[in-house]
Amino acid sequence: MKPNAPSKYLAGYPLALVEQVQRLIDQDQLAGVLLRKYPAPHGVRTDKALYAYVSEIKNTHLRNAGPLSKVMFDGKLQIIQHALGMHTTIARVQGAKLQAKREVRVASVFKDMPEAFLRMIVVHELAHFKARDHDKAFYQLCLRMEPAYHQLEFDVRAYLSHLDATGQPLW
């Protein structure tokens, strides 16, 4: 990223906020701010551990949603789909029954981030099980599952802007 170029991750935020983040990146201070706020990465390293982590959040907040079929870190997700997470629901007819499979894929970049960032993306993808669009109901569900959702999403976007600009991971 060129100095003072607006970050693609912060599109849609007020210009003053985008400029503040850009200033912190240019002055090499954003890393320190994020490290003070989120000092350590989480311990979820495998797909099996991620499945348990996502299942716990789903069972706490979305008991009536169907069971999860697959949960995994996906190394190609951010590169191919330009997404940080993805949910899919696949319906198949098997005999006289309709079987639904629900999958959650999380970009591998989240393997080395703080637990709060991982929780934000998991909450986001689980909210899509109930609300397909990014509308008011969707964000209300996200806030019910994670009260600090909006702040975490902004912090993730700020970190991704730092990563895009410097290429230096923090955790």
Side-chain angles (χ1 to χ4, degrees):
M1 178 194 280
K2 297 173 187 168
N4 298 322
S7 170
K8 63 185 173 193
Y9 297 108
L10 297 172
Y13 284 95
L15 185 59
L17 206 50
V18 174
E19 289 173 346
Q20 183 180 5
V21 170
Q22 189 59 52
R23 231 181 349 269
L24 288 171
I25 291 171
D26 293 343
Q27 295 169 359
D28 202 24
Q29 294 178 342
L30 183 60
V33 169
L34 290 171
L35 285 170
R36 279 190 298 281
K37 198 168 185 181
Y38 309 102
H42 60 77
V44 180
R45 295 282 177 245
T46 64
D47 290 344
K48 185 176 180 179
L50 182 63
Y51 183 90
Y53 181 82
V54 173
S55 293
E56 181 182 334
I57 295 171
K58 183 200 150 302
N59 292 338
T60 301
H61 298 287
L62 300 173
R63 283 183 222 101
N64 295 335
L68 292 168
S69 299
K70 183 189 272 187
V71 178
M72 63 184 287
F73 286 110
D74 190 338
K76 299 176 185 174
L77 197 58
Q78 190 174 7
I79 297 164
I80 295 173
Q81 281 100 355
H82 303 290
L84 300 174
M86 191 168 73
H87 68 285
T88 55
T89 302
I90 302 165
R92 291 191 180 112
V93 177
Q94 291 184 335
K97 294 184 179 180
L98 183 66
Q99 296 276 329
K101 287 187 157 193
R102 295 175 180 262
E103 296 182 3
V104 172
R105 294 173 186 259
V106 176
S108 292
V109 70
F110 283 95
K111 266 188 179 180
D112 300 316
M113 287 190 188
E115 189 272 336
F117 289 6
L118 178 63
R119 183 172 178 85
M120 185 279 307
I121 197 68
V122 167
V123 162
H124 182 99
E125 296 310 323
L126 287 175
H128 278 301
F129 285 7
K130 292 282 187 180
R132 297 275 182 214
D133 298 322
H134 293 114
D135 56 11
K136 187 175 181 179
F138 173 83
Y139 285 108
Q140 284 177 340
L141 183 56
C142 287
L143 288 170
R144 196 188 66 169
M145 289 191 279
E146 174 51 62
Y149 176 82
H150 291 301
Q151 182 63 53
L152 292 173
E153 183 179 19
F154 178 77
D155 291 347
V156 166
R157 290 174 177 277
Y159 171 64
L160 292 171
S161 297
H162 160 81
L163 199 56
D164 202 27
T166 66
Q168 298 174 352
L170 299 181
W171 299 278

